[in-house]
């Protein structure tokens, strides 16, 4: 059983996709209070000449993070499903060349088929994806031929939240 504000959820209620999405969004709104401060410190620690990739699943949460990062006064790019092909290409080039310190991305639009090395050196999952392959593919954007830096990967998991159930499901899929 997972305790969340004003309700108790059990894993058997997560069979409904609409309910699952709603609960994940609630979880992530709670995570913003605890994880964003750490993410901001991480952003501040990214050295010049390197870029951190921050992956999201939901556009609402991505947009909320954009507002936070916008207040930091650093260069960053954003890529999601509504980003045009031309803007995406420019953004990916800036990440690969470390012309920006942060890339705020969705796994579905930026998680496969790209070489963002050597600029991308850090990968942060602000929300856990549904499948292990999304994690592997997203991390592989930085672990590519030409990478000259060590690559750091961070999964942000909120205790006592839906993240715990999703983490167990991801681990079971890996076994």
């Amino acid at each position: 059983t997972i305790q969340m504000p004003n309700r108790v959820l059990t894993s058997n209620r997560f069979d409904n996709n609409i309910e699952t999405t709603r609960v994940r969004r609630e979880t992530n709104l709670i995570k913003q209070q605890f994880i964003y401060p750490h993410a901001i410190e991480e952003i501040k620690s990214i050295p010049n000449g390197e870029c951190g990739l921050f992956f999201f699943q939901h556009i609402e949460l991505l947009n909320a993070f954009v507002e936070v990062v916008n207040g930091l006064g650093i260069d960053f790019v954003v890529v999601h499903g509504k980003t045009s092909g031309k803007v995406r290409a420019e953004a990916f080039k800036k990440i690969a060349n470390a012309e920006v310190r942060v890339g705020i991305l969705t796994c579905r639009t930026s998680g496969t088929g790209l070489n963002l090395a050597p600029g991308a050196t850090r990968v942060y999952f602000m929300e856990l994806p549904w499948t292990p392959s999304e994690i592997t593919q997203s991390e592989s954007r930085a672990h590519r031929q030409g990478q000259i830096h060590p690559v750091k990967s961070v999964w942000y998991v909120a205790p006592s939240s839906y993240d715990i159930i999703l983490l167990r499901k991801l681990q079971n899929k890996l076994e």
Side-chain angles (χ1 to χ4, degrees):
T1 301
I2 295 174
Q3 299 287 333
M4 291 183 72
N6 301 323
R7 70 182 81 211
V8 176
L9 304 169
T10 58
S11 61
N12 62 358
R13 287 193 56 206
F14 293 108
D15 294 332
N16 180 321
N17 280 342
I18 294 170
E19 179 71 2
T20 302
T21 299
R22 186 187 59 74
V23 171
R24 284 191 74 187
R25 286 184 175 143
E26 284 182 13
T27 295
N28 286 308
L29 291 173
I30 293 166
K31 285 170 63 173
Q32 288 178 14
Q33 299 171 22
F34 303 103
I35 291 171
Y36 282 18
H38 183 268
I40 290 166
E41 291 306 312
E42 284 287 317
I43 289 170
K44 291 177 181 177
S45 74
I46 298 170
N48 288 334
E50 296 183 26
C51 179
L53 307 177
F54 289 79
F55 283 101
F56 287 85
Q57 298 293 318
H58 295 98
I59 192 71
E60 298 90 355
L61 298 163
L62 178 146
N63 287 335
F65 192 68
V66 166
E67 289 182 29
V68 171
V69 174
N70 198 35
L72 298 177
I74 62 162
D75 290 330
F76 67 96
V77 294
V78 179
V79 177
H80 51 72
K82 294 183 179 179
T83 306
S84 73
K86 181 180 178 182
V87 172
R88 283 183 200 203
E90 291 171 7
F92 296 145
K93 182 179 178 184
K94 287 180 179 181
I95 291 170
N97 294 328
E99 295 171 20
V100 293
R101 190 171 304 169
V102 172
I104 302 172
L105 317 165
T106 60
C107 288
R108 289 196 177 111
T109 60
S110 307
T112 60
L114 300 169
N115 183 351
L116 301 178
T121 61
R122 299 172 186 213
V123 180
Y124 302 92
F125 292 95
M126 302 302 283
E127 302 177 76
L128 293 176
W130 292 103
T131 64
S133 64
E134 286 181 90
I135 292 170
T136 303
Q137 286 293 323
S138 297
E139 289 175 337
S140 293
R141 299 315 96 219
H143 282 289
R144 303 296 276 193
Q145 184 176 357
Q147 182 55 271
I148 57 175
H149 304 285
V151 175
K152 175 182 181 177
S153 182
V154 176
W155 300 7
Y156 285 111
V157 177
S160 301
S161 72
Y162 179 70
D163 280 355
I164 302 302
I165 290 173
L166 187 55
L167 185 61
R168 283 190 208 126
K169 287 183 179 191
L170 287 167
Q171 289 171 331
N172 288 340
K173 290 176 183 180
L174 285 171
E175 294 174 356

